[in-house]
């Protein structure tokens, strides 16, 4: 969990990056918007791209923890998939600004960060894949479509949310999440 | 349809943009790789970002024409959705390099181009949406999940292909396309 100061810096950076772009945003502006000192910012983040990575890392870390928690509940395969998708869609839909900034600036991450980013994503993908495979193996789900393609479809719509979804639009995050879960579970029956 | 010269220029630009990035690629390098004169390039494209846009416009124009042709065949709703998805997934999967370049550099398009891009995408989206809605209205498809969410799911996986799909990987474009169509149709039943 980030400290209150760290969270203030991250929130200010997300707002500024989303509104005016990553390049056009200076560390000085972030410091001013967050109402912290430059020293405080550099205590948590060595550079602007540390901040970019941290924005994303906090999101995926909390989404991975959610998935692990849901799997630990020992629900049926269908309920596990539903809970994972609802939690993932809602948390992503509520944070489309952060995700949009990160996706747009992804190519700026250095090699180490890119490797860490890919590893985090792969872990999430593989844990979800194992849930689908288990349901196919025990007959809870149809095996008509291979589990890896099911995962690509389910995560594809989530990864595209930053392109088109607005949390203040006509469809609230929770409703969209249930619709996506309904469709994926219908496809798995 | 582009002329042979225009196509040579586009192919060279796609290769160079994908290999070394849009910024790092000069018009001179594109001209040399395409084995055309600078005059020929400027006959077709006023600037490098014209070329970027044209790369994408050719792809979506041919995908839109494919969809219109398939709808014109008057197949059942299920066969129409299958043919549209297979054609879309195969044409996108075979051109992941072009699409990846375009998506990465999208923010560079000027306002007019961005408007044209959004209009092309919206038209594709709405035509596909009408196909799903028609199938829901005549009882060919379940109405359990609203058509707009079904379209977001089906197009989401296609739009994510440039991130992870490699045409020379273990799953050929045609097989992936059938799997995606199978899953979407299973969800619609």
């Amino acid at each position: 969990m980030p400290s209150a100061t760290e969270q203030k810096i991250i929130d200010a950076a997300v707002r500024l990056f989303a509104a005016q772009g990553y390049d056009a945003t200076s560390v000085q502006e972030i410091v001013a918007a967050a109402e912290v000192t430059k020293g405080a910012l550099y205590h948590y983040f060595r550079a602007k791209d540390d901040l970019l990575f941290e924005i994303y890392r906090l999101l995926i870390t909390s989404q991975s923890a959610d998935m692990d928690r849901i799997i630990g509940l020992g629900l049926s395969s269908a309920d596990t998939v539903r809970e994972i998708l609802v939690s993932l869609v809602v948390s992503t839909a509520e944070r489309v600004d952060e995700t949009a900034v990160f996706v747009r600036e992804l190519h700026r991450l250095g090699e180490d960060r890119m490797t860490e980013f890919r590893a985090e994503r792969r872990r999430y993908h593989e844990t979800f894949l194992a849930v689908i495979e288990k349901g196919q193996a025990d007959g809870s789900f149809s095996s008509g479509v291979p589990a890896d393609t099911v995962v690509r479809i389910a995560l594809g719509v989530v990864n595209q949310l930053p392109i088109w979804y607005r949390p203040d639009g006509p469809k609230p995050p929770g409703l969209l999440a249930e619709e996506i879960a309904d469709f994926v579970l219908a496809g798995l029956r």
Side-chain angles (χ1 to χ4, degrees), chain A:
Chain A
M1 284 288 292
S3 72
T5 304
E6 200 177 355
Q7 191 62 57
K8 271 164 69 178
I9 296 168
I10 289 169
D11 291 346
V14 166
R15 275 198 315 277
L16 290 165
F17 292 166
Q20 62 192 37
Y22 177 84
D23 273 332
T25 302
S26 67
V27 166
Q28 188 53 53
E29 283 175 290
I30 298 169
V31 160
E35 303 181 322
V36 301
T37 64
K38 214 168 202 170
L41 186 144
Y42 284 118
H43 173 71
Y44 293 106
F45 308 102
R46 276 168 313 167
K48 212 164 64 167
D49 75 323
D50 266 32
L51 204 39
L52 181 64
F53 187 69
E54 192 60 18
I55 288 169
Y56 183 76
R57 208 185 55 77
L58 284 171
L59 180 61
I60 196 157
T61 301
S62 98
Q63 289 176 336
S64 287
D66 276 349
M67 182 154 66
D68 292 342
R69 181 184 55 75
I70 292 162
I71 292 171
L73 296 175
L75 305 169
S76 68
S77 288
D79 286 345
T80 303
V81 167
R82 175 174 299 279
E83 293 297 321
I84 289 172
L85 280 176
V86 168
S87 154
L88 178 64
V89 172
V90 168
S91 61
T92 304
E94 285 174 344
R95 290 176 185 82
V96 283
D97 282 352
E98 281 99 313
T99 319
V101 167
F102 186 77
V103 170
R104 198 167 57 224
E105 307 297 343
L106 187 60
H107 62 282
R108 292 172 187 280
L109 290 182
E111 206 42 62
D112 286 2
R113 284 289 160 82
M114 200 52 125
T115 304
E116 196 179 335
F117 162 70
R118 291 208 185 94
E120 291 268 18
R121 260 220 319 217
R122 194 176 319 115
R123 199 189 86 76
Y124 193 93
H125 182 110
E126 285 174 0
T127 307
F128 192 35
L129 182 69
V131 170
I132 306 282
E133 284 174 339
K134 180 164 173 282
Q136 288 183 328
D138 69 19
S140 310
F141 297 145
S142 155
S143 298
V145 175
D148 64 330
T149 297
V150 177
V151 171
R152 293 297 186 182
I153 293 168
L155 298 187
V157 63
V158 178
N159 291 333
Q160 286 282 308
L161 289 180
I163 310 280
W164 62 271
Y165 185 72
R166 295 296 162 263
D168 55 354
K171 195 168 280 188
L175 176 57
L176 177 68
E178 292 291 346
E179 290 176 2
I180 291 173
D182 284 348
F183 191 80
V184 171
L185 287 168
L188 281 168
R189 270 196 292 270

